[in-house]
Amino acid sequence: AGIRVIKAFNRIKYTIRRYYHAMVTYYKTGQATYFMQIAADQVRVSPIHIIWPMSLPFFAYLGLKGTIPIITWGSIIYFSRALLYYLDGTYKFFQKFRLYLVPANRLFDTLDIEPAITDSPDAKSIDDLQGHVQFEHVDFSYQPGHPILRDILFEVPPGKKVAIVGPSGAGKSTLAMLLMRLYKADSGDIKIDGRSVADIKMHSVLSQTGVILQDTFLFGGTIRDNIRYADPKASDEQIEEAAKAAGLHDDIINMPQGYDTDVAEGASLSGGQKQRVAIARALLKNPKFLILDEATSSLDVTTEWAVMQTLRENFADVTTLIISHRLNTIVDADEIIVIDKGSIIEQGTHEQLLKKRGFYNMLYQQQSDILETEKN
């Protein structure tokens, strides 16, 4: 469920090691349980293995004395029960084996899947990311014949802040997924610092990129662990500074266990608190390129303004791509791109778009009326 976060923060190898460690622990525990079960089974059937064999000499003695035949009714019952026991065990073994084949086949089918998107053999790393992004006539569809994006053409210059706005379902978040190469464009090209994403080792880009996704995902563990996910070497003081910048520190210290609160994949945190953990995680990374995908959608207006102000101060010179449907958060962007139904319909600064009195102006007026109503 957290694969997008894992890839966005370039923690694939770390996650594989963590998963392997968990599997080894599970294997050892399962092995111990298996041997304990065998021991318990032996104790359970001890009357058959001990009492009945001990009775055989007695029946043999009586048989030799001529009192009763050597093969008696009791010995027949013993051998019958012993045989039935082992047949029952064999049946249960093959029954379990057959049941385990189903998930095993699914597991190996999954392991045999080849990644659809991989770095080309001659791909090169970008060690000093500038964040110069270019979308050149990009088309994309999740299903053939149903295009999500059509002829997307725009540029994000280094050090500038470009906002992508539009109604829900317009394709805004898909642009971020394409930029991180979680999906592959049907046609056109996406370039980072003048190179096509197909010719770049994306881990070198993502290691220098901060991402705050629309659907906030927190891993099982503590709040401290989730913030530190961006930088495993970060100190507790750096984590607290990031939390303060994200407006989360006061909430955390008021929790019974503070930064050691187990979030249980976000179950104990509100939507706004989870989103601020994600913001703190991005701040801790100190990225050279920042992608905000509805980064403040779960925050109230006051907290949203404070967080956006923090982001502006901390990333003033960082190339930033802002995807938002709240227009009040992007009015100071160097350029605003308006997308509707998968196509760019307007482009310019906030003032330029208002003067056009087009789609952007309509959205801005609607949201201004709503905010004014909420204040009243």
Side-chain angles (χ1 to χ4, degrees), residues 158-174:
K160 299 296 183 180
K161 292 174 175 52
V162 174
I164 310 291
V165 302
S168 298
K172 303 187 300 296
S173 296
T174 302

Side-chain angles (χ1 to χ4, degrees), residues 195-270:
R195 297 180 185 174
S196 173
V197 291
D199 299 325
I200 299 173
K201 292 182 179 179
M202 284 306 295
H203 70 84
S204 68
V205 174
L206 295 175
S207 64
Q208 304 174 72
T209 302
V211 182
I212 305 174
L213 298 174
Q214 180 178 3
D215 299 321
T216 303
F217 182 88
L218 299 183
F219 296 93
T222 65
I223 295 176
R224 190 191 312 276
D225 292 337
N226 271 277
I227 297 177
R228 185 178 271 136
Y229 192 81
D231 182 5
K233 298 179 181 179
S235 64
D236 290 345
E237 290 76 14
Q238 289 174 313
I239 291 172
E240 290 183 14
E241 287 300 319
K244 289 177 182 178
L248 184 64
H249 179 72
D250 291 341
D251 289 354
I252 294 176
I253 60 176
N254 288 327
M255 297 177 184
Q257 295 176 310
Y259 281 85
D260 294 320
T261 300
D262 193 331
V263 300
E265 293 193 5
S268 60
L269 301 180
S270 67

Side-chain angles (χ1 to χ4, degrees), residues 161-166 322 324 327-328 330-339 344-365:
K161 292 174 175 52
V162 174
I164 310 291
V165 302
I322 307 171
S324 178
L327 305 187
N328 62 308
I330 52 90
V331 293
D332 60 341
D334 296 298
E335 186 170 17
I336 299 172
I337 298 169
V338 185
I339 292 182
I344 296 178
I345 58 174
E346 292 179 345
Q347 197 166 343
T349 64
H350 173 69
E351 291 76 13
Q352 290 172 344
L353 292 175
L354 288 181
K355 291 179 180 178
K356 290 183 179 179
R357 297 195 173 275
F359 191 78
Y360 177 85
N361 180 70
M362 180 190 69
L363 291 177
Y364 185 76
Q365 295 302 328

Side-chain angles (χ1 to χ4, degrees), residues 274-322:
K274 287 195 293 182
Q275 204 157 33
R276 278 179 278 174
V277 170
I279 292 171
R281 190 160 56 191
L283 288 168
L284 183 66
K285 194 173 185 180
N286 193 24
K288 297 180 180 179
F289 180 49
L290 186 63
I291 300 175
L292 306 178
D293 184 4
E294 304 286 4
T296 58
S297 60
S298 297
L299 305 180
D300 58 77
V301 176
T302 303
T303 306
E304 178 184 51
W305 184 88
V307 168
M308 288 303 297
Q309 189 63 26
T310 299
L311 293 175
R312 291 186 185 99
E313 292 172 358
N314 284 272
F315 302 111
D317 300 322
V318 175
T319 308
T320 306
L321 181 66
I322 307 171

Side-chain angles (χ1 to χ4, degrees), residues 19-35:
Y19 177 77
Y20 177 77
H21 176 74
M23 288 299 295
V24 170
T25 304
Y26 173 78
Y27 170 75
K28 291 180 178 178
T29 305
Q31 199 174 40
T33 304
Y34 174 74
F35 285 118

